[in-house]
Amino acid sequence: MIKGTAAKWDTGGGDGVRIKIMKNSTPLWPSSGWQTIGATDRLGVQFGVIANVAAGDYVYIVVNKNGTDSHDTTVLDAMITYKPVFNASTDFLTYQGGWNWNYLQGNAAPYTSMAWNATDKTWRGTNAWNIIHDGGLMHPDADDTVRAWTAPVTGTVRVTGNARKQDTNGGDGVRIKILKNAAQLWPASGWQAIAYNDATGVSHSLTVNVTAGDVLYFVLDKNGNNSFDTTYWSPNIIYT
C-alpha cells in the first residue's frame, strides 16, 4: 500500500504542481494523467493506493512543475507497506471516503452521512450530539454514531481495537457492535455494553474475509440516554 499526502510548501506564487504515482510504466494514481495541486494549496491531496508488486518492480512518485517552476517547493509524505493498514484515528480526514472511511449516523442501515464542521473540526450529524472527533473519539445521540470502512480489495483482514469511555462523569454507559454489511460480527448478537465509568473498556480481535466493496460498520449507541457518552474507539484494520 502506498499512502500519504502531497501539498504545496511555497504558496507565494507560481501555477501549482502536478503529481502521479506509477508502478514501472503503469499509472496507479490517478488512473490517468496527473493530480493537480493548486499554487496556494497547503492542505493538498491524500492518496491511498493498493498494488501487487514483484521483486524488482519500481514505484515512482512523480512531481511535475505544471507550467512553470516558480514557487514549486512541495511537501510529499508517503509511506509504503506490504500489508495495507487502516486506522480510524490516523486516517481521520475532512471528506467522506478518504482512506476508505465514512462518517455516518442512524439506527439501522442504510446509514446517512454526517457533515464536516470546519469550525470545530468534527463530523456532525443532524442531532446535536452525533459527533466524530479526531483522535478516535465518538459521541452518540438519538441516532447511533457510526464509522464505516469499505474494503478496497478482496482478502482477509484482522480487525482489532479497544472501546472505552472517555467521559466517566455520569450517564448510563454506551453500547457498541461491529457489522459486515448487514451481518453482525461482534458480539455474536445484541450489543456489547460499556459502563459509564469504564475507562478500561473492551477489546476486540476479529479475522474477517472481505470482498472488495464490503463495508464494516463500527456502531456506537447511547444506551438509555446520551449524557456523558464521549467514547474512545479507534479500530485498526490490516490485510493479512
Side-chain angles (χ1 to χ4, degrees):
M1 183 173 188
I2 308 143
K3 183 177 180 180
T5 302
K8 282 298 302 303
W9 176 259
D10 184 344
T11 57
D15 61 353
V17 297
R18 305 185 300 174
I19 66 170
K20 64 181 176 181
I21 302 173
M22 303 178 67
K23 185 183 80 172
N24 302 322
S25 60
T26 302
L28 295 178
W29 179 86
S31 57
S32 62
W34 296 85
Q35 172 66 49
T36 300
I37 302 174
T40 60
D41 189 356
R42 281 188 176 271
L43 294 178
V45 294
Q46 288 80 33
F47 51 85
V49 181
I50 295 176
N52 293 319
V53 294
D57 281 342
Y58 284 88
V59 173
Y60 300 103
I61 303 175
V62 185
V63 180
N64 174 271
K65 66 182 178 63
N66 202 6
T68 74
D69 63 0
S70 299
H71 303 277
D72 275 355
T73 303
T74 300
V75 177
L76 201 158
D77 184 13
M79 175 179 68
I80 300 175
T81 59
Y82 271 96
K83 293 182 178 180
V85 177
F86 300 85
N87 179 270
S89 294
T90 58
D91 294 346
F92 185 83
L93 293 173
T94 62
Y95 57 91
Q96 296 280 5
W99 290 333
N100 298 79
W101 292 97
N102 286 85
Y103 309 91
L104 310 174
Q105 70 174 89
N107 290 319
Y111 299 104
T112 58
S113 294
M114 291 180 164
W116 175 250
N117 185 307
T119 301
D120 62 6
K121 295 180 171 53
T122 61
W123 286 97
R124 289 185 171 267
T126 53
N127 302 301
W129 289 101
N130 278 121
I131 306 172
I132 299 178
H133 300 259
D134 194 2
L137 299 181
M138 307 168 66
H139 196 294
D141 204 320
D143 286 343
D144 298 336
T145 291
V146 183
R147 291 184 194 262
W149 174 83
T150 302
V153 294
T154 298
T156 301
V157 295
R158 193 74 177 164
V159 183
T160 59
N162 172 265
R164 58 185 182 268
K165 283 299 303 303
Q166 181 76 12
D167 186 342
T168 57
N169 291 310
D172 62 352
V174 296
R175 305 186 301 174
I176 64 171
K177 63 182 175 182
I178 302 172
L179 309 174
K180 185 181 84 170
N181 303 323
Q184 183 151 332
L185 296 178
W186 180 87
S189 62
W191 295 87
Q192 172 64 54
I194 303 174
Y196 81 93
N197 60 349
D198 187 356
T200 301
V202 294
S203 296
H204 54 81
S205 181
L206 311 172
T207 299
V208 184
N209 294 322
V210 294
T211 300
D214 280 345
V215 182
L216 301 185
Y217 296 102
F218 301 88
V219 185
L220 174 67
D221 175 81
K222 66 182 177 62
N223 201 9
N225 63 67
N226 67 355
S227 300
F228 305 96
D229 275 354
T230 301
T231 301
Y232 173 87
W233 192 12
S234 181
N236 194 68
I237 301 169
I238 181 170
Y239 278 85
T240 61

